[in-house]
Amino acid sequence: MKEIRIIKLRNDDTIDYAGEELVKYLAEITSNSHDFKIVTEEYESGLEKEGLYLGHLSDFKLDHYFKLKDLDLDDAVYIDIKEGRGIIAGSNSRSVLLAVYRFLTEAGCRWIRPGKNGEIIVKKALGEINIALKEAASLRHRGIVIEGANSYENVADIIEWAPKVGYNSYFLQFKEAYTFFNNWYTHVNNPTMVPESFTVDKARELTHKVEKEIKKRGLIYHAVGHGWTSECIGISALGWESEQHNLKPEQYNYLAEVGGKREFWYGVPMNTNLCYSNPEVRELMVDHIVEYIGSHDHIDFLHVWLADDLNNHCECENCKKDSPTDLYIKILNLLDEKLTKAGYNQKIVFLIYYELLWPPKYEMIKNPDRFILMFAPISRTFEKSYKGFKGNESIPDYVRNKMVLPTSLGENLAFLEQWQKVFKGDSFDFDYPLGRAHYGDPGYYKISKITSEDIKSLKAIDLNGYLSCQEQRAFFPTALPNYVMGLTLWDKDKDFNDIAEDYFKNAFGPSWKECKEYLEKLSYLFDIEYWCAQKPWIDEEVRENMKKVPEFVEKFRTVIEANIALENSCWKKSWEYLIWHIDYCKLFAKFLENKAEGNDAKVLEAWDELKSYLQNIEVHIQPVFDVYRFIQIAEWKFRLKKAK
Ligand SMILES: [Zn+2]
């Protein structure tokens, strides 16, 4: 067996891993016909030696091909492989890993969904592989954010998959990501499964394991977000559940006064703001964050947000003198000062969301290099994309604790534009197609197209990337939305139809065209705004369309059944998921049809049927569908009574 050398020009965990991944997949591609050996050597003129070289652009003196603003943050790849030998390089170690995956993709491999059964590995002789490309990512920030109910494996799988399709960042929300693991291990919303006991310590242990996976790949690690407001007074912010807490009397004075009372907002620490005009409160919060960074210096971007939820800001005499945003900026500036003093250079991500959508009136961010603006239009529509949109001419006046959520893109973008007048630093979009809205499109085609258009429009609205706040199991019936997102963030000029065609070919095999047409048509029968409760409940069009669903999906059953025995394990799995998907669509349509008709008794009946179907099949669709989250959103948006 011929020995092939993989020559690393430097050693670090990420380059080591890039080498291992290259060997793993090349062995599979070439059906183990070579003995791949990884070595570390200095680069000389090099290429006369037989082998594949892995290193930074600078190791090969290839930097001049790219104009990158920040070598650590900006990804670029250079691949020059002739007959299976040559150079695979990246602007930093993470980019080298991305370059390995770009190389494998170009060679014909595909990453259809997370997990081994989502891989299409081409078979080729090494000598037949010739690839030359130079690419810089279109956008700096390309990440996935944890939400929903997840096992450790679900999270590890999506982190493994993310760089294969171009992502470079991962965001583990809240200090221990407790709620997202707890939701799974205790099987919230699924009584058919036996709950396991789960603790904060266990969450911390899983978080450490996840962090290792993030670091191994050199992904940019985003952390925390909400929670500082209660954590700094010693109360953990674990999730959005109501809790009983007894504070010392003086501590109550730190909490925001709303409606004449200082207490936890509906009992939820995560959603409780503080009395930010109080300098003692600002010091407390900032000192807590500085201390946290001191003991967590592996975090790259720390998110410092105020409480979640809205209309929960302090109404005391002093707070009323300033807008929530002005007080927020006072905190951010103090934080920057203390971090600088302590010698910490972590980036701080601040959030434009709910009342913080209003730009500051008086305060200014003093050190823009420290900060990254994150625009989070959580209440936006997903029936339309940012394409061609501009902000409305003006924004409404801020009235304390009486804000109404902006739905239209014009309203949302108006806030962003006002902010951009006062903050010129780095920024990205924090968006939600796969957190909530996607369930309103069970074909997953329309939401993929909207996501593609959104990402292509980011430069026009002056944002340098996108983090997807999402369910980690959002691949039912396909992973097309997440896939399109990753590939388009890498190359914004990639045509949506080209990606979709290639995706379906690789995900479904010979009958891919029929499948694509089926899911596309199915998509357009559903209305995402209706699911998101962004329009009136009585809706004739929704009712008529939902009536068509059962016959439409049943008609496709024969195609699915004809493909389910395919030998290719990736194709087979894709078709298997579609079998479960048929009854899901029928029951979901029945539920929506009754709702759109205003038949409340039947709505509850249909809901119970749909819910119990999903609970019972979760074991078959666990990696691709988050039953907890679907039920949680439906019961909240549609005001459904919990089933007994
Ligand atoms: Zn106050």
Side-chain angles (χ1 to χ4, degrees):
M1 206 160 31
K2 192 165 183 204
E3 186 184 280
I4 303 286
R5 282 150 43 94
I6 309 289
I7 303 135
K8 296 183 295 175
L9 299 186
R10 57 172 75 209
N11 280 325
D12 64 41
D13 290 351
T14 303
I15 302 247
D16 291 351
Y17 182 67
E20 288 162 24
E21 285 289 275
L22 184 61
V23 167
K24 179 174 99 184
Y25 287 111
L26 278 180
E28 226 177 306
I29 290 170
T30 59
S31 305
N32 289 308
S33 52
H34 297 284
D35 178 17
F36 291 102
K37 194 173 173 210
I38 305 180
V39 296
T40 308
E41 278 178 18
E42 297 267 312
Y43 181 65
E44 292 161 23
S45 58
L47 284 180
E48 69 276 5
K49 292 184 190 171
E50 284 210 344
L52 284 115
Y53 287 80
L54 290 181
H56 288 195
L57 294 170
S58 56
D59 299 332
F60 302 97
K61 304 205 169 22
L62 292 166
D63 323 47
H64 60 279
Y65 283 115
F66 304 96
K67 286 193 184 75
L68 303 175
K69 283 192 179 145
D70 186 320
L71 278 179
D72 290 332
L73 296 179
D74 293 327
D75 295 305
V77 302
Y78 176 101
I79 300 169
D80 187 11
I81 298 289
K82 290 184 189 78
E83 296 177 359
R85 320 284 197 277
I87 292 176
I88 298 178
S91 45
N92 52 59
S93 296
R94 173 188 62 253
S95 304
V96 176
L97 179 65
L98 294 171
V100 164
Y101 292 136
R102 274 299 287 122
F103 164 73
L104 295 167
T105 305
E106 237 10 65
C109 298
R110 292 293 182 274
W111 326 98
I112 289 312
R113 63 181 157 261
K116 196 65 196 160
N117 69 35
E119 294 181 352
I120 296 287
I121 307 301
V122 71
K123 294 286 178 193
K124 264 185 189 174
L126 188 64
E128 283 171 24
I129 304 178
N130 295 291
I131 295 160
L133 62 82
K134 292 190 273 290
E135 293 176 354
S138 297
L139 295 148
R140 172 178 291 173
H141 306 284
R142 310 182 307 280
I144 291 174
V145 185
I146 194 169
E147 282 280 340
N150 312 290
S151 70
Y152 169 75
E153 289 73 21
N154 296 143
V155 178
D157 280 353
I158 202 168
I159 290 173
E160 183 181 340
W161 181 72
K164 291 176 176 164
V165 290
Y167 293 97
N168 70 348
S169 308
Y170 191 81
F171 182 0
L172 210 47
Q173 288 195 96
F174 317 142
K175 282 185 178 175
E176 296 88 9
Y178 169 84
T179 187
F180 312 111
F181 290 121
N182 180 62
N183 287 337
W184 170 252
Y185 288 105
T186 64
H187 302 306
V188 180
N189 286 346
N190 195 348
T192 71
M193 291 186 163
V194 182
E196 295 171 36
S197 70
F198 196 75
T199 60
V200 175
D201 280 343
K202 182 75 189 163
R204 208 165 280 146
E205 186 190 316
L206 295 182
T207 293
H208 289 320
K209 273 174 81 179
V210 169
E211 286 173 340
K212 278 190 188 148
E213 296 301 316
I214 296 170
K215 287 288 157 186
K216 182 163 86 180
R217 292 167 178 83
L219 298 175
I220 298 169
Y221 177 30
H222 293 241
V224 189
H226 294 302
W228 301 114
T229 53
S230 69
E231 298 269 358
C232 74
I233 53 169
I235 304 293
S236 296
L238 297 176
W240 292 275
E241 302 301 315
S242 184
E243 299 163 10
Q244 281 290 338
H245 289 287
N246 287 317
L247 296 176
K248 292 181 200 135
E250 66 271 21
Q251 283 181 306
Y252 280 100
N253 288 332
Y254 297 146
L255 304 185
E257 181 189 319
V258 190
K261 290 184 207 144
R262 293 186 189 265
E263 54 191 28
F264 285 107
W265 181 248
Y266 292 97
V268 183
M270 181 88 75
N271 292 352
T272 304
N273 276 304
L274 302 178
C275 182
Y276 304 120
S277 65
N278 180 347
E280 204 186 323
V281 164
R282 298 200 296 268
E283 290 279 337
L284 204 63
M285 196 169 146
V286 165
D287 288 344
H288 179 78
I289 298 168
V290 174
E291 198 186 308
Y292 191 77
I293 288 193
S295 54
H296 296 77
D297 61 356
H298 54 291
I299 293 170
D300 299 305
F301 292 0
L302 186 75
H303 289 240
V304 174
W305 310 344
L306 301 182
D308 202 2
D309 212 352
L310 69 164
N311 292 325
N312 52 358
H313 279 269
C314 187
E315 295 165 348
C316 82
E317 281 313 308
N318 282 331
C319 283
K320 272 201 298 198
K321 289 178 197 157
D322 282 316
S323 70
T325 305
D326 283 296
L327 293 169
Y328 185 34
I329 292 188
K330 277 188 187 182
I331 294 168
L332 295 176
N333 282 334
L334 181 65
L335 176 62
D336 171 54
E337 245 173 64
K338 294 204 178 198
L339 288 175
T340 304
K341 216 179 207 171
Y344 297 136
N345 52 12
Q346 266 87 357
K347 299 273 183 191
I348 301 296
V349 181
F350 70 99
L351 169 64
I352 306 309
Y353 170 85
Y354 291 158
E355 19 282 279
L356 305 174
L357 283 164
W358 277 269
K361 278 193 170 161
Y362 313 106
E363 298 291 333
M364 287 275 285
I365 287 194
K366 289 180 189 157
N367 176 14
D369 288 344
R370 165 79 69 189
F371 295 98
I372 301 171
L373 178 154
M374 183 175 110
F375 174 58
I378 192 165
S379 52
R380 65 167 283 200
T381 175
F382 282 96
E383 280 290 341
K384 293 190 189 80
S385 75
Y386 295 131
K387 187 178 169 184
F389 264 93
K390 269 195 168 333
N392 293 351
E393 287 200 353
S394 61
I395 55 173
D397 288 335
Y398 173 66
V399 185
R400 184 167 301 257
N401 292 347
K402 289 200 168 55
M403 82 162 283
V404 178
L405 286 171
T407 312
S408 79
L409 293 167
E411 288 170 277
N412 274 291
L413 290 176
F415 285 106
L416 174 65
E417 286 170 15
Q418 298 291 330
W419 257 103
Q420 285 169 335
K421 286 181 190 163
V422 296
F423 182 78
K424 309 280 183 202
D426 198 2
S427 63
F428 62 85
D429 181 26
F430 189 81
D431 228 315
Y432 303 85
L434 294 176
R436 306 180 187 176
H438 59 122
Y439 296 119
D441 172 17
Y444 264 16
Y445 195 87
K446 186 165 50 171
I447 198 97
S448 304
K449 199 162 190 279
I450 294 284
T451 302
S452 163
E453 288 178 4
D454 275 347
I455 291 170
K456 286 168 182 288
S457 309
L458 290 176
K459 292 240 165 173
I461 55 175
D462 219 3
L463 293 172
N464 197 13
Y466 187 103
L467 259 67
S468 171
C469 184
Q470 65 164 86
E471 278 67 84
Q472 308 293 284
R473 300 182 279 148
F475 316 115
F476 189 58
T478 70
L480 185 66
N482 246 169
Y483 187 83
V484 164
M485 190 188 281
L487 264 57
T488 315
L489 283 164
W490 178 263
D491 178 1
K492 71 176 176 54
D493 297 323
K494 268 220 180 290
D495 181 68
F496 169 73
N497 289 318
D498 292 348
I499 299 179
E501 277 202 8
D502 184 73
Y503 182 87
F504 277 93
K505 269 181 206 164
N506 283 286
F508 292 94
S511 304
W512 69 270
K513 240 182 204 161
E514 286 148 284
C515 185
K516 178 173 176 284
E517 197 185 297
Y518 165 66
L519 291 178
E520 186 175 350
K521 283 190 176 154
L522 181 67
S523 252
Y524 286 93
L525 285 175
F526 285 82
D527 185 323
I528 301 173
E529 284 183 0
Y530 190 78
W531 161 258
C532 291
Q534 288 168 330
K535 46 167 66 176
W537 292 123
I538 305 297
D539 190 314
E540 187 58 25
E541 199 187 341
V542 168
R543 193 172 76 104
E544 284 306 310
N545 279 333
M546 289 305 97
K547 274 187 177 169
K548 295 176 195 158
V549 170
E551 200 191 329
F552 179 77
V553 292
E554 270 306 333
K555 257 173 122 177
F556 197 64
R557 193 185 286 272
T558 50
V559 182
I560 303 175
E561 281 170 355
N563 281 281
I564 209 119
L566 286 172
E567 218 172 278
N568 180 307
S569 61
C570 175
W571 295 348
K572 187 179 160 65
K573 202 70 195 169
S574 300
W575 289 102
E576 269 174 27
Y577 286 138
L578 284 185
I579 284 279
W580 301 111
H581 189 254
I582 290 183
D583 284 337
Y584 163 55
C585 288
K586 285 161 76 176
L587 294 168
F588 191 20
K590 190 164 127 192
F591 162 69
L592 293 172
E593 182 192 330
N594 285 317
K595 186 72 185 172
E597 200 178 82
N599 194 333
D600 284 343
K602 278 192 174 169
V603 167
L604 283 178
E605 204 178 293
W607 172 242
D608 279 344
E609 212 182 334
L610 168 60
K611 187 160 83 164
S612 85
Y613 173 73
L614 288 170
Q615 288 165 338
N616 282 302
I617 68 160
E618 183 161 29
V619 59
H620 302 287
I621 57 170
Q622 200 281 350
V624 293
F625 189 85
D626 188 331
V627 170
Y628 154 79
R629 187 67 168 145
F630 178 82
I631 292 174
Q632 191 235 356
I633 293 167
E635 291 189 335
W636 161 46
K637 292 277 183 194
F638 289 76
R639 315 254 190 290
L640 298 160
K641 278 183 212 145
K642 293 226 174 196
K644 284 153 216 129

